[in-house]
Amino acid sequence: MALNKVEICGVNTSRLPVLTNEEKDALFVRIRQGDAAARELFIQGNLRLVLSVIRRFSSSAENVDDLFQIGCIGLIKAIDNFNTELGVRFSTYAVPMIIGEIRRFLRDNNAIRVSRSLRDTAYKAIYAKETLMKKNQKEPTISEVAAEVGISREDIVYALDAIQNPMSLYEPVYTDGGDTLYVMDQIRDKKNREENWIERLSLSDALKRLGEREHEIILLRFFEGKTQMEVADMIGISQAQVSRLEKGALRAMRAYLGP
């Protein structure tokens, strides 16, 4: 990560202003009165704080411009939530907020690389959403966010969706009676039909050796593509029981079919 860049996201970092404590206090009074110009001045006067924080992530392979933008989101959240009556310096409050925002970005951005333009659109949408929530005290619609940033609804939705962290099929949903229910157990698979299985595996004999209930569960789960919850509703038992019977049936079938 090139932290020696002079210009980051179009900002000349060598010319960033520095605010005194007195100036910060005066600006905060104006910010609380709804002065947008004072808010912008306060943001500009604390961008050096963002720079100092992103230096802690020098070992990251992320683009410095991306980290700077995310750090600015953390800074804005800190400004909007800071309570001057706490008796602490703004920087003391803001640094953990900025660090947290960057760490969330690094965590969520790890699995899939998203184009710079998509991330820029997503960041603008997130910033606009925060601004509208602060202004109107309610969750804005996608149309309102799109109007705020001047980008189409479709592009906003696509960009926000692109930066979402994908969920593993093995992500646990909950544990019931010691048996964990995973995301994959809740997904209907319409491709797993009987003919496909029979064409590839000789399962007839193995299925015949199962008890009536286990046989029904295997048919519903892997031949009909039902979820464990759907099977539980159909045969009138709990999902945890379906899970246990299914696992036992599969073990018996594997033992019969051999390696």
Side-chain angles (χ1 to χ4, degrees), residues 21 31 56 58 65-66 89 131 135 145 167 204 246:
N21 289 331
I31 290 171
R56 303 186 185 193
S58 58
D65 296 79
D66 294 336
R89 295 175 60 184
T131 302
K135 177 181 177 182
V145 172
M167 179 178 286
S204 297
E246 177 186 314

Side-chain angles (χ1 to χ4, degrees), residues 66 133 141 144 146 196:
D66 294 336
M133 285 182 67
T141 65
E144 289 171 337
N196 295 331

Side-chain angles (χ1 to χ4, degrees), residues 46-63:
N46 283 277
L47 291 181
R48 288 186 183 273
L49 188 60
V50 176
L51 284 176
S52 69
V53 169
I54 65 175
R55 290 185 183 279
R56 303 186 185 193
F57 299 88
S58 58
S59 60
S60 169
E62 289 296 332
N63 185 288

Side-chain angles (χ1 to χ4, degrees), residues 2-258:
L3 283 171
N4 58 342
K5 292 176 63 176
V6 174
E7 187 168 297
I8 300 177
C9 296
V11 177
N12 188 330
T13 59
S14 66
R15 297 181 179 177
L16 289 175
V18 178
L19 299 175
T20 65
N21 289 331
E22 291 75 18
E23 288 173 326
K24 290 179 182 179
D25 291 342
L27 285 173
F28 249 113
V29 171
R30 292 168 55 190
I31 290 171
R32 293 297 174 253
Q33 294 171 347
D35 190 328
R39 187 170 183 268
E40 186 63 30
L41 285 174
F42 197 92
I43 292 171
Q44 292 291 327
N46 283 277
L47 291 181
R48 288 186 183 273
L49 188 60
V50 176
L51 284 176
S52 69
V53 169
I54 65 175
R55 290 185 183 279
R56 303 186 185 193
F57 299 88
S58 58
S59 60
S60 169
E62 289 296 332
N63 185 288
V64 64
D65 296 79
D66 294 336
L67 291 187
F68 184 75
Q69 288 188 62
I70 294 298
C72 288
I73 291 175
L75 171 64
I76 291 167
K77 287 183 177 181
I79 293 171
D80 291 342
N81 292 283
F82 182 60
N83 185 351
T84 54
E85 297 177 359
L86 292 175
V88 298
R89 295 175 60 184
F90 174 75
S91 59
T92 303
Y93 177 80
V95 167
M97 295 277 285
I98 297 170
I99 292 175
E101 201 70 26
I102 292 173
R103 283 179 175 165
R104 279 191 293 274
F105 166 77
L106 293 176
R107 179 198 64 206
D108 295 342
N109 200 48
N110 241 353
I112 296 177
R113 307 297 300 182
V114 180
S115 72
R116 173 72 184 279
S117 61
L118 274 179
R119 286 200 298 270
D120 284 348
T121 299
Y123 301 153
K124 290 176 182 177
I126 292 170
Y127 173 66
K129 180 180 178 181
E130 294 285 340
T131 302
L132 290 170
M133 285 182 67
K134 183 71 176 177
K135 177 181 177 182
N136 301 323
Q137 298 296 307
K138 67 175 184 177
E139 183 91 9
T141 65
I142 291 295
S143 296
E144 289 171 337
V145 172
E148 180 74 12
V149 297
I151 298 174
S152 71
R153 285 182 79 261
E154 292 75 14
D155 287 344
I156 293 288
V157 172
Y158 183 65
L160 291 174
D161 185 59
I163 65 171
Q164 295 302 308
N165 196 29
M167 179 178 286
S168 168
L169 287 176
Y170 293 93
E171 184 82 17
V173 179
Y174 70 88
T175 300
D176 183 6
D179 290 307
T180 301
L181 177 66
Y182 297 96
V183 171
M184 65 182 298
D185 295 324
Q186 297 298 93
I187 297 176
R188 181 189 298 272
D189 185 0
K190 295 183 179 179
K191 294 181 180 179
N192 285 330
R193 299 297 184 185
E194 183 173 356
E195 60 271 22
N196 295 331
W197 278 77
I198 297 301
E199 287 174 359
R200 291 180 292 161
L201 300 170
S202 299
L203 296 176
S204 297
D205 289 341
L207 285 168
K208 291 176 182 177
R209 293 174 179 270
L210 297 177
E212 182 179 349
R213 177 161 284 181
E214 288 85 351
H215 184 275
E216 183 179 11
I217 289 172
I218 294 299
L219 288 179
L220 290 172
R221 283 283 288 136
F222 300 105
F223 287 58
E224 297 298 326
K226 304 294 185 184
T227 69
Q228 286 187 350
M229 293 298 290
E230 288 174 326
V231 173
D233 289 339
M234 291 175 70
I235 63 179
I237 62 176
S238 71
Q239 178 274 322
Q241 289 176 294
V242 171
S243 177
R244 284 192 287 271
L245 290 169
E246 177 186 314
K247 290 174 184 176
L250 291 175
R251 280 196 299 269
M253 292 173 68
R254 279 195 295 267
Y256 176 77
L257 293 169

